Amino acid sequence: MASEELARKLQWRLQREEAEEGRPEPALLAVPAPAPAPAPAPAPAPTPAPAPEPEPPARAPTASADAELSAQLSRRLDINEGAARPRRCKVFNPYTEFPEFSRRLIKDLESMFKLYDAGRDGFIDLMELKLMMEKLGAPQTHLGLKSMIKEVDEDFDGKLSFREFLLIFHKAAAGELQEESGLMALAKLSEIDVALEGVKGAKDFFEAKVQALSAASKFEAELKAEQEERKREEEKRRLRQAAFRELKATFST
């Protein structure tokens, strides 16, 4: 009995082992390897700060700029104190700014101004003024010429404009010039037809003109006289042309 029981157990064990050997072994699940951690992104390189632009070197004030600024400040102070006339506009009308002068006188002074304006630039500089005073028989030193210009030089350019030239005669008529000054000599010795006015001396001449032109009708009369004179000149020219054509026709026949 014992041997039979032992034989059954052995047979059962063999059958189980055979059954286990014929059964496929369960496949091992492949465990994926953990993915490597992503490498940290490189930090952006710091943007270099732009280099500051070099500042332009400061310009050193020139001596001429300092002198010009000083002259302008001095003139402004004189104007505020009533010691100088304010500057006028660049374009001026001599007939309205100097109403005491007749139209004919202004034209005569303009002709004189242009006569000594050798550079034809609308100004009389120091050398041209020197020549003028020599021609008038009253030569001046270099310092004397500079002093003459300075007395009426409103824009500090060192030369005389036509307005400043007229200002000389305005001051002479108003008695604002010293009797021995170069400007008074210029006013007295200028080639002015005083015989036409019946007075002598530049100062008396201008005083007579102030009285003669006090009425506006005088100005209108002078303007009308100029227009009549131009008409007569035009008529003479027309007659000369007609005579020339007649003479030419005579020789042509």
Side-chain angles (χ1 to χ4, degrees):
M1 291 291 297
S3 57
E4 293 177 356
E5 183 68 21
L6 180 61
R8 269 195 316 272
K9 288 183 178 180
L10 289 175
Q11 187 178 1
W12 176 80
R13 181 176 294 180
L14 288 174
Q15 289 176 353
R16 191 181 64 179
E17 288 178 357
E18 288 176 358
E20 290 177 355
E21 289 177 357
R23 185 187 305 170
E25 296 181 358
L28 296 177
L29 295 178
V31 178
T47 305
E53 297 183 358
E55 296 183 358
R59 297 183 178 178
T62 60
S64 59
D66 291 342
E68 181 179 358
L69 178 59
S70 176
Q72 291 178 353
L73 292 177
S74 298
R75 174 171 175 76
R76 175 53 55 189
L77 181 61
D78 291 341
I79 291 175
N80 293 339
E81 295 178 353
R85 286 188 175 186
R87 293 180 184 174
R88 307 298 181 91
C89 57
K90 293 184 178 180
V91 179
F92 81 102
N93 186 338
Y95 304 108
T96 57
E97 289 203 31
F98 297 91
E100 68 272 24
F101 297 164
S102 67
R103 290 177 61 87
R104 182 177 296 276
L105 175 59
I106 290 179
K107 289 182 179 298
D108 290 343
L109 291 175
E110 184 178 13
S111 299
M112 179 182 178
F113 180 86
K114 291 181 178 180
L115 177 64
Y116 291 102
D117 179 18
R120 297 293 185 268
D121 58 353
F123 297 92
I124 292 180
D125 58 22
L126 189 139
M127 294 306 297
E128 292 167 342
L129 180 61
K130 178 177 182 296
L131 177 62
M132 176 190 292
M133 298 307 293
E134 290 175 353
K135 291 285 187 180
L136 295 176
Q140 302 289 316
T141 64
H142 183 79
L143 292 178
L145 294 169
K146 292 182 68 174
S147 178
M148 291 173 62
I149 293 177
K150 183 178 179 181
E151 190 164 354
V152 292
D153 188 12
E154 294 188 319
D155 52 6
F156 301 102
D157 59 356
K159 50 190 176 181
L160 298 177
S161 64
F162 180 52
R163 184 184 184 281
E164 293 165 345
F165 184 72
L166 292 178
L167 192 58
I168 296 174
F169 297 91
H170 172 84
K171 286 178 174 287
E176 299 177 3
L177 300 177
Q178 296 181 3
E179 192 67 26
E180 298 81 10
S181 66
L183 291 182
M184 179 59 78
L186 188 155
K188 285 184 175 181
L189 298 174
S190 298
E191 298 175 357
I192 300 175
D193 190 3
V194 296
L196 181 63
E197 301 296 328
V199 294
K200 294 181 180 180
K203 182 177 179 181
D204 294 337
F205 172 79
F206 288 112
E207 290 176 350
K209 295 302 294 183
V210 171
Q211 296 174 2
L213 298 179
S214 58
S217 59
K218 180 66 176 179
F219 181 85
E220 296 176 358
E222 289 183 348
L223 185 59
K224 185 176 181 180
E226 288 183 4
Q227 294 174 349
E228 292 294 333
E229 185 176 354
R230 284 197 295 268
K231 288 181 181 179
R232 288 193 296 270
E233 290 295 332
E234 182 66 22
E235 182 65 18
K236 290 179 181 179
R237 187 180 65 82
R238 188 183 63 80
L239 292 175
R240 286 195 300 269
Q241 290 178 349
F244 177 77
R245 287 195 296 268
E246 183 178 354
L247 182 62
K248 182 178 180 181
T250 302
F251 281 101
S252 298
T253 56

